[in-house]
């Protein structure tokens, strides 16, 4: 889709507002044309001595009526034109956000957060300016200019109009060049702004790491470079404007000079009246705004077009993962899982992260996944959530190929606690309730008790109404981890996935949570990744991964007897535990 078709679809939806706005603007322009005529009539009447008191009263009434009409018209064209542009901005912002929600995890690995944020702020603002103020200025720069010139030609003097307008006509070529150049510089400015936004976002999000490593000065220098790039890009546009505006003023000044010299000559000869001379100069003054508006509209349209292309580039990017035409919307998932020679490689990687992995887990059982760091445990979980594309028939839930299960249906049946225990900057109540439809207070507290975080929450001054900081930084790591577990337990899904979700709790709390899980989720499937053998020893099936492969599969007792990697990890952890007790 081209940018014109893209924005045309929004203009078509709001055509009534634009038509009403332009018609109102046309009426305002017509009223503006009458003011110089009344001024000229008043001047000629005074000059000829024919002005009467009743005539003066009539002129005053006409002036007041025009003033009232101008005020009312200017209100309504702002209401219609600017209102429509604001509405379109809101609709594009909503469409952009909805589209980004459909994008897969790989998309966010390739795009910076600051760059995406810049689209929602700078780019959408530029689009709004192009669809609101730019439409206004373009209309005045074209239609109003024609209306004024017609009045000058047919009601005052053709020769005077021709001579006075010639200098302004030279601006057309300059405005054309200006539009192309400002578009290029605006694109560079948008990119510099995106880099600056990303720098600020990363620095603020990682401020604790920056402080702990005493890197404030280095980050300040890095930010200074990004700020300078943004400043240079903005100054580049400003220099262009600083060049074009004085040029326009110079040309307008020449037009005024011609009008004063030649128009004064015609008035002295009696070719035009004094009132017509005054009226002409007022009309010439009316042309100043359209000339300036021409440059502004080209500037705004160019910036808006650059932003539209950036937004359109995002909207036209297809998600890596989406529902296929042959999905089964009626698939019933109870938690049975089958991996059939599962093999997966990350994009651009030649070495597979998961290689020829096969297992079968009946519904209602607990699968534990252990292995060294980098063995592919989290990758496997991401594949079960269908965050990455896998081959047909490699992952089956209750006999249904994961590629033929609707994404919303699959993820509705899975409660997931990731390694990154993300909490929103909201109350603990809302964080636990996130993902569940209108849960009761009793259910929320029950989930918190199962996750062994209820007592900690009750010790807080505002209890469940305590607002945690961004990403939950105002509470401890263990509390954040257990709050994430409570959120997943509240969902009560057929499948629960815990990705190393008990690493920040002590062994006693861990045992209590595991006991609660065993009772609460009896008959439901649970998949957990863990590094501590004590966490997974109760599992019905333990998958030991090594370099993306299934090194061992069995129960705790079976794997201990095999004396393989699992037994080695178990012995090592038992030795570490014994040493810590002796110390």
């Amino acid at each position: 889709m081209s940018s014109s078709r893209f924005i045309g679809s929004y203009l078509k939806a709001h055509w009534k507002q634009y038509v009403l706005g332009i018609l109102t603007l046309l009426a305002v322009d017509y009223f503006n044309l009458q003011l110089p005529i009344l001024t000229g009539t008043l001047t000629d009447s005074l000059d000829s001595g024919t002005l009467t008191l009743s005539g003066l009263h009539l002129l005053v009434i006409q002036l007041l009526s025009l003033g009232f009409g101008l005020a009312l018209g200017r209100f309504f064209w702002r209401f219609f034109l600017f209102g429509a542009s604001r509405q379109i901005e809101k609709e594009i912002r909503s469409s952009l956000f909805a589209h980004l929600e459909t994008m897969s995890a790989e998309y966010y690995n390739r795009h910076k957060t600051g760059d995406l944020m810049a689209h929602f702020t700078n780019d959408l603002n530029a689009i709004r300016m192009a669809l609101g103020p730019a439409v206004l200025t373009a209309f005045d720069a074209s239609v109003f200019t024609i209306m004024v010139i017609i009045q000058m030609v047919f009601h005052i003097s053709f020769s005077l109009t021709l001579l006075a307008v010639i200098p302004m006509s030279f601006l057309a070529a300059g405005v054309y060049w200006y539009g192309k150049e400002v578009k290029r510089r605006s694109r560079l400015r948008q990119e510099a702004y995106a880099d600056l936004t990303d720098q600020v976002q990363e620095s603020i999000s990682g401020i604790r790491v920056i402080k702990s490593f005493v890197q404030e000065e280095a980050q300040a220098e890095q930010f200074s470079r990004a700020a300078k790039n943004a400043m240079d890009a903005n100054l580049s546009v400003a220099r262009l404007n600083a060049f074009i505006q004085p040029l326009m003023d110079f040309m307008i000044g020449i037009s005024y000079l011609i009008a004063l010299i030649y128009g004064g000559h015609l008035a002295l000869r009696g070719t035009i009246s004094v009132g017509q001379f005054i009226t002409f100069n007022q009309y010439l003054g009316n042309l100043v705004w359209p000339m300036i508006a021409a440059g502004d509209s080209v500037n705004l349209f160019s910036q808006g077009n650059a932003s539209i292309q950036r937004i359109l580039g995002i909207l036209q990017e297809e998600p890596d993962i989406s529902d296929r035409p042959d999905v089964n919307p009626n698939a019933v998932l109870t938690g049975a899982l089958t991996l059939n020679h599962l093999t997966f490689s990350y994009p651009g990687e030649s070495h597979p992260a998961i290689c020829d992995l096969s297992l079968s887990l009946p519904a209602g059982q607990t699968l534990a996944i252990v292995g060294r760091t980098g063995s592919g445990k989290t990758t496997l979980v991401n594949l079960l959530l269908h965050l990455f594309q896998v081959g047909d028939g490699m992952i089956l839930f209750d006999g249904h190929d994961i590629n033929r299960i609707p994404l919303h249906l699959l993820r509705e049946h899975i409660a997931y606690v990731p390694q990154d225990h993300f909490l929103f900057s909201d109350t603990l109540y809302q964080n636990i309730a996130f993902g569940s439809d209108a849960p009761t207070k009793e259910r929320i507290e029950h989930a918190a008790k199962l996750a062994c975080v209820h007592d900690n929450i009750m010790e807080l001054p505002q209890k469940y109404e305590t607002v945690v900081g961004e990403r939950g930084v105002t509470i401890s790591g263990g509390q954040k981890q257990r709050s994430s577990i409570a959120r997943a337990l509240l969902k009560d899904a057929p499948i629960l996935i815990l990705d190393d979700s008990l690493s920040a709790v002590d062994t006693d709390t861990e045992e209590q949570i595991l006991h609660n899980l065993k009772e609460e989720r009896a008959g439901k499937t649970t998949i957990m990744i863990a590094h501590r053998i004590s966490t997974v020893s109760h599992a019905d099936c333990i998958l030991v991964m090594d370099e993306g492969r299934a090194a061992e599969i069995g129960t705790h007792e079976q794997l201990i007897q095999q004396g393989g990697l699992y037994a080695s990890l178990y012995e090592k952890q038992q030795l570490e535990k014994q040493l810590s007790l002796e110390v």
Side-chain angles (χ1 to χ4, degrees), residues 14 17-18 79-89 131:
H14 297 274
Q17 289 173 274
Y18 277 96
F79 177 79
F80 290 124
L81 292 179
F82 290 179
S85 65
R86 289 284 186 182
Q87 183 67 23
I88 292 174
E89 178 192 22
L131 298 180

Side-chain angles (χ1 to χ4, degrees), residues 1-20:
M1 181 186 294
S2 64
S3 57
S4 58
R5 286 184 60 190
F6 169 71
I7 209 65
S9 63
Y10 288 97
L11 294 176
K12 183 178 180 180
H14 297 274
W15 70 270
K16 291 182 180 179
Q17 289 173 274
Y18 277 96
V19 168
L20 290 172

Side-chain angles (χ1 to χ4, degrees), residues 54-130:
S54 60
L56 179 61
H57 289 164
L58 180 60
L59 285 171
V60 171
I61 291 172
Q62 288 176 322
L63 286 171
L64 290 174
S65 299
L66 284 174
F68 178 76
L70 285 170
L72 197 63
R74 283 170 178 162
F75 168 79
F76 278 108
W77 66 247
R78 282 181 171 86
F79 177 79
F80 290 124
L81 292 179
F82 290 179
S85 65
R86 289 284 186 182
Q87 183 67 23
I88 292 174
E89 178 192 22
K90 174 254 181 187
E91 291 172 3
I92 296 177
R93 178 176 284 114
S94 298
S95 298
L96 180 61
F97 183 80
H99 180 74
L100 287 176
E101 284 192 310
T102 67
M103 302 306 289
S104 55
E106 181 60 25
Y107 177 84
Y108 295 97
N109 294 336
R110 302 192 306 265
H111 294 81
K112 294 182 178 181
T113 302
D115 196 14
L116 296 175
M117 289 172 61
H119 294 308
F120 283 93
T121 53
N122 221 25
D123 282 331
L124 286 176
N125 181 65
I127 293 173
R128 176 183 59 80
M129 293 296 289

Side-chain angles (χ1 to χ4, degrees), residues 18-43:
Y18 277 96
V19 168
L20 290 172
I22 290 175
L23 289 176
T24 307
L25 186 57
L26 185 62
V28 169
D29 287 343
Y30 174 78
F31 293 153
N32 274 322
L33 289 176
Q34 306 310 307
L35 288 174
I37 295 175
L38 291 178
T39 305
T41 301
L42 177 61
T43 303

